[in-house]
Amino acid sequence: MERRLSAASRRSAPSPIQQLSHLAQRVGAVNLAEGFPDFPAPPHVKAAAAAAAAAIAADHNQYRHVQGICDILAEMAKRDHGLDVDPLTDFVICCGQSEAFAAAIFAIIDPGDEVLLFDPAYETYETCIELARGVPPNNVPLDPPSWTLNEDEFLKSFTSRTKAVVLNSPHNPTGKVFSKEELLIIAQACQKVDCFAITDDVYEYITYHENKHISLASLPGMQERTVITSSLSKTYSVTGWRIGWACSPASIASAIRNIHVKLTDSAPALFQEAALIALTSTLDFYSSLKTTMR
């Protein structure tokens, strides 16, 4: 029976990091390979989930799309990055950033397409590309010790088959925040070769000192070719809630939505309700988040 399984399923066997995570949970070890905060979610966020439990009694137990999340996210995109996005057409609520990223890859990548990753990279990216039958990603090494972008190496990595660049900033696992100068290099290259950018922004509110997260989509000529993926997980310490989203121009968002419906159909209804409170946290919350993390 094993020989009947697809090549994609064999490539998607538990990774060493996943195996390490399971072992750490069993023996109570500190796991430096797994990305979730090790302190509780903020009280007002937990209270929101508890209050949202009333939705169960109100029979909000079916597939659900809470449009209010998209409305708030659109306001945050304008406030934090100067982006004008349509909450009705430009967002897809997914089961965490992981699904948002996978759906974006499946919507954009055709068999044989190439995707550029910055190395080291979060392991899920490569798996999603393989599942979409893209060719093994062309990894662009970041230069230690500050993990800077090597412009020459980056530009040489493009080929006629390059369909997208994946950018994770702040970066997992190094913590690097890409500078505006580096982002401009990426933006200009994407426009020159006419490819997409897919960004993973889950750590955007966890930066230190003079570092500031800049959305790649906010740079000239990039909003129309960028898919932003993010989630509640890291900012609000709720990795188990599985509320994430993709934000992109309407035509791309429509394709991502079609994939999302086939994959999971709906993010958890209860936690979508609670997300409304988390996402309307005061600016003081984000300041205290950085202080606590530091």
Side-chain angles (χ1 to χ4, degrees):
M1 185 64 70
E2 183 177 350
R3 63 187 175 86
R4 299 181 184 177
L5 296 176
S6 70
S9 69
R10 292 193 295 273
R11 288 195 298 268
S12 299
S15 69
I17 289 180
Q18 290 172 319
Q19 295 174 26
L20 181 63
S21 298
H22 296 156
L23 177 61
Q25 289 179 5
R26 287 203 303 272
V27 302
V30 174
N31 182 3
L32 299 180
E34 194 166 39
F36 65 86
D38 62 353
F39 42 82
H44 74 285
V45 174
K46 291 190 288 187
I56 297 174
D59 291 324
H60 296 309
N61 299 312
Q62 311 307 324
Y63 303 129
R64 188 158 171 77
H65 170 80
V66 178
Q67 178 59 38
I69 294 176
C70 304
D71 297 337
I72 296 169
L73 290 172
E75 294 173 0
M76 294 173 70
K78 181 66 173 179
R79 179 194 72 193
D80 296 340
H81 305 296
L83 293 172
D84 290 310
V85 292
D86 188 335
L88 295 176
T89 61
D90 296 356
F91 287 95
V92 185
I93 302 173
C94 297
C95 291
Q97 184 276 338
S98 296
E99 191 208 358
F101 181 86
I105 288 290
F106 298 159
I108 289 173
I109 300 305
D110 286 314
D113 285 342
E114 290 181 354
V115 180
L116 297 189
L117 300 179
F118 295 108
D119 187 39
Y122 179 48
E123 63 173 5
T124 296
Y125 302 155
E126 184 168 352
T127 301
C128 290
I129 295 163
E130 291 178 349
L131 290 173
R133 297 173 64 189
V135 300
N138 198 351
N139 290 338
V140 181
L142 298 173
D143 290 343
S146 299
W147 308 103
T148 53
L149 174 64
N150 185 314
E151 181 176 1
D152 290 338
E153 290 295 325
F154 173 59
L155 296 179
K156 286 192 302 185
S157 298
F158 285 89
T159 74
S160 60
R161 296 191 299 177
T162 302
K163 189 73 168 289
V165 175
V166 173
L167 174 69
N168 173 210
S169 181
H171 180 257
N172 177 4
T174 69
K176 171 195 172 56
V177 180
F178 281 72
S179 68
K180 186 171 184 179
E181 291 72 25
E182 291 172 321
L183 295 176
L184 285 170
I185 292 170
I186 296 169
Q188 290 164 5
C190 288
Q191 293 172 74
K192 182 177 180 180
V193 303
D194 192 24
C195 73
F196 292 101
I198 304 173
T199 69
D200 175 352
D201 294 1
V202 295
Y203 294 104
E204 71 170 290
Y205 293 109
I206 306 175
T207 58
Y208 308 110
H209 309 302
E210 74 281 0
N211 291 314
K212 176 176 171 54
H213 170 71
I214 300 172
S215 173
L216 186 63
S218 69
L219 299 183
M222 286 305 294
Q223 185 170 351
E224 60 264 33
R225 65 178 66 249
T226 301
V227 179
I228 300 168
T229 66
S230 194
S231 77
L232 295 182
S233 294
K234 305 305 194 300
T235 305
Y236 306 98
S237 299
V238 288
T239 59
W241 284 19
R242 311 317 299 145
I243 301 294
W245 52 86
C247 174
S248 67
S251 59
I252 307 174
S254 177
I256 294 172
R257 191 174 298 107
N258 289 341
I259 298 293
H260 159 66
V261 169
K262 303 300 187 298
L263 290 174
T264 64
D265 201 293
S266 169
L270 173 64
F271 292 123
Q272 286 191 64
E273 297 290 344
L276 296 172
I277 300 300
L279 290 169
T280 53
S281 298
T282 64
L283 294 178
D284 288 343
F285 165 76
Y286 299 100
S287 299
S288 65
L289 171 67
K290 294 181 180 184
T291 301
T292 301
M293 286 285 191
R294 187 160 51 239

